[in-house]
């Protein structure tokens, strides 16, 4: 298993190209199941999760063609995928594939909408409630699907097709909103979604679906209206920049010090996080090239942050912010309201000398004068990158084990950071 070695203490300077958003790419690829025509996606990041979803779609009979490099293109350019679901040969998404990536459960929506049936493994095979997909199931039930749960599989049936309906989410859910929009796009009649997620990736997917012929309005607000159509066609769409990758590198610069242009980044996609960073002492300027972020030796100020659905501070940047606050001058508080147990990074950060106390959903971080390198373990996608951020400011060497978690969501992380002067390398394992 690969590991990453980091020697802390070097400021970052230069340019980091921001890739296409993982959390838009996955539902966009899944949306290809809604049409027999080809969907072309540009600016697709090279990530393990994208490769895995290619395999999952392949199992349903989808052909995915990855374009070769064009002249003048470098590894910084995203890839182009041509996705064709002309013939769906299998409406089952099996356990061994779905259990590896939670978002793959979302194939249930296009499959039931286009084929009238879907059989999708519950993610992780757990009962609804402990690892919930209850709201996703509720959404397609509201559109007329009959649902059975058998042997760890959700079996959805709508032999005469779905019909429009009203879907009121009791809780904001990104996956629930994607699922509802995709299913409603091919339903007979109009669907209204209340308390929809407003994340930029929802808007990106709705834009693409509209190019495919869907009639979706209100994406990006909490009320989305979809007039179902009988068929969707092909389209070409470029994936929006990854706001979580942007925020992660912004925090890396705030941690290590220096001056970096986050190329292609769009500030409106993560304004809450940028405001927090500015409050902590980073300076930033946005222009048509991206966001330029700097910190030059000034101390980091502590912060009070609560994660919440967009446009508030994202849960996917919580671990990175916590890493940053381990070096603040004073005590910070971070409250995690989206996911329980999303504090796996705390014990690993402690190995580097961080002082963090947990009390339910609240973490209290007492800034320390210095961190010291140590071997640490990546536990999940966002937690692992928080260890990299801490290591950039730790004295001596940190080895991050189990980096496959990083490869799921960050494209060429060690390459992007080392080109800005970080001492970071991958050790093949
Ligand atoms: C998506 C993102 C993930 C991000 C999360 C929250 C993708 C591929 N993943 O995940 O990176 O951290 O949004 O911004 O886009 N819930 C239920 N029942 C359900 C579904 C969700 O109770 O049926 C709960 C979850 O347990 C959680 C909350 O709703 O507490 C939000 O989850 P949700 O927005 O659905 O997350 P994902 O779509 O899985």
């Amino acid at each position: 298993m690969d590991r990453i070695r980091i020697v802390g203490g070097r400021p970052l300077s230069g340019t980091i190209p921001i890739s296409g958003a993982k959390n838009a790419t996955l539902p966009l690829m899944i949306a290809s199941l809604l049409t027999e025509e080809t969907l072309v996606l540009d600016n697709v990041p090279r990530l393990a999760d994208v490769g895995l979803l290619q395999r999952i779609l392949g199992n349903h009979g989808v052909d995915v063609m990855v374009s070769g490099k064009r002249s003048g293109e470098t590894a910084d350019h995203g890839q182009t995928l041509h996705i064709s679901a002309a013939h769906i040969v299998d409406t089952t998404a099996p356990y061994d594939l779905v259990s590896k990536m939670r978002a793959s459960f979302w194939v249930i929506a296009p499959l039931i909408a286009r084929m009238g049936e879907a059989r999708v493994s519950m993610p992780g095979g757990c009962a609804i409630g402990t690892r919930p997909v209850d709201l996703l199931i509720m959404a397609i039930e509201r559109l007329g699907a009959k649902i059975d749960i058998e042997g760890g599989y959700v079996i959805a049936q709508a032999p005469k097709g779905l019909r429009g309906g009203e879907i009121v989410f009791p809780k904001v859910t990104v996956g629930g909103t994607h699922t509802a929009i995709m299913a409603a796009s091919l339903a007979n009649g109009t669907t209204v979604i209340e308390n929809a997620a407003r994340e930029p990736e929802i808007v990106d997917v709705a834009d693409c679906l509209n190019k495919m012929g869907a009639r979706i309005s209100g994406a990006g607000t909490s009320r989305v209206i979809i007039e179902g159509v009988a068929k969707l066609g092909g389209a070409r769409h470029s994936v929006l920049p990854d706001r979580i990758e942007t925020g992660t590198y912004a925090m890396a610069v705030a941690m290590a010090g220096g001056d970096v242009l986050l190329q292609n980044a769009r500030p409106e996609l993560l304004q809450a996080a940028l405001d927090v960073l500015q409050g902590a002492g980073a300076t930033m300027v946005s222009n048509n090239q991206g966001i330029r972020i700097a910190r030059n030796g000034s101390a980091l100020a502590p912060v009070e942050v609560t994660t919440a659905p967009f446009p508030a501070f994202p849960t996917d940047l919580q671990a990175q912010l916590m890493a940053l606050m381990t070096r603040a001058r004073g005590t910070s508080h971070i409250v995690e309201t989206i996911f329980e147990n999303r504090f796996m990074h705390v014990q690993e950060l402690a190995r580097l000398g961080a002082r963090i106390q947990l009390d339910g959903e609240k973490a209290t971080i007492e800034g320390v004068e210095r961190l010291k390198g140590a071997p640490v373990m990546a536990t999940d996608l966002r937690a692992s990158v928080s260890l990299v951020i801490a290591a950039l400011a730790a004295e001596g060497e940190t080895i991050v084990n189990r980096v496959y978690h990083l490869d799921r969501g960050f494209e060429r992380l060690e390459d992007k950071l080392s080109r800005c002067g970080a001492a970071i390398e991958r050790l093949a394992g």
Side-chain angles (χ1 to χ4, degrees), residues 35-179:
T35 174
E36 55 194 38
E37 292 180 23
T38 301
L39 178 64
V40 182
L41 297 178
D42 294 307
N43 200 31
V44 172
R46 294 170 182 80
L47 297 172
D49 272 6
V50 171
L52 180 59
L53 185 54
Q54 256 171 265
R55 274 179 51 206
I56 292 169
L57 293 176
N59 192 58
H60 296 298
V62 178
D63 288 322
V64 181
M65 207 246 325
V66 183
S67 294
K69 240 185 225 172
R70 303 283 175 270
S71 69
E73 274 187 9
T74 65
D76 293 342
H77 290 84
Q79 36 181 6
T80 295
L81 304 186
H82 296 250
I83 312 177
S84 165
H87 307 287
I88 292 178
V89 297
D90 193 340
T91 52
T92 295
Y95 173 76
D96 58 334
L97 293 175
V98 178
S99 59
K100 294 199 176 96
M101 184 172 57
R102 198 176 147 70
S104 57
F105 184 83
W106 303 350
V107 298
I108 195 166
L111 289 175
I112 181 76
R114 181 167 152 202
M115 307 300 289
E117 59 171 42
R119 190 169 164 269
V120 181
S121 170
M122 311 254 292
C126 303
I128 292 179
T130 51
R131 188 146 182 215
V133 282
D134 54 334
L135 301 177
L136 284 69
I137 292 174
M138 177 277 280
I140 51 175
E141 241 174 349
R142 295 288 303 156
L143 301 180
K146 183 177 159 291
I147 303 287
D148 289 301
I149 295 176
E150 241 181 67
Y153 279 77
V154 179
I155 300 162
Q157 281 171 316
K160 292 187 185 141
L162 297 175
R163 52 174 160 68
E166 195 188 25
I167 300 169
V168 182
F169 285 114
K171 182 174 192 177
V172 175
T173 153
V174 172
T177 306
H178 280 309
T179 314

Side-chain angles (χ1 to χ4, degrees), residues 261-337:
L261 171 69
L262 304 175
Q263 200 174 29
N264 307 323
R266 282 173 29 198
E268 73 278 13
L269 302 180
L270 71 161
Q271 199 54 56
L274 295 179
D275 290 347
V276 167
L277 278 178
Q278 235 157 357
T283 56
M284 58 197 79
V285 197
S286 303
N287 58 29
N288 57 6
Q289 284 192 298
I291 304 172
R292 192 165 168 171
I293 172 140
R295 187 173 72 83
N296 48 11
S298 56
L300 285 165
V303 301
E304 303 284 325
V305 166
T306 299
T307 64
F310 191 85
F313 190 93
T315 175
D316 287 351
L317 286 173
Q318 179 258 107
Q320 296 90 316
L321 180 66
M322 194 178 297
L324 180 63
M325 287 301 114
T326 62
R327 290 289 314 281
R329 191 172 287 172
T331 303
S332 303
H333 297 104
I334 302 180
V335 180
E336 170 59 59
T337 69

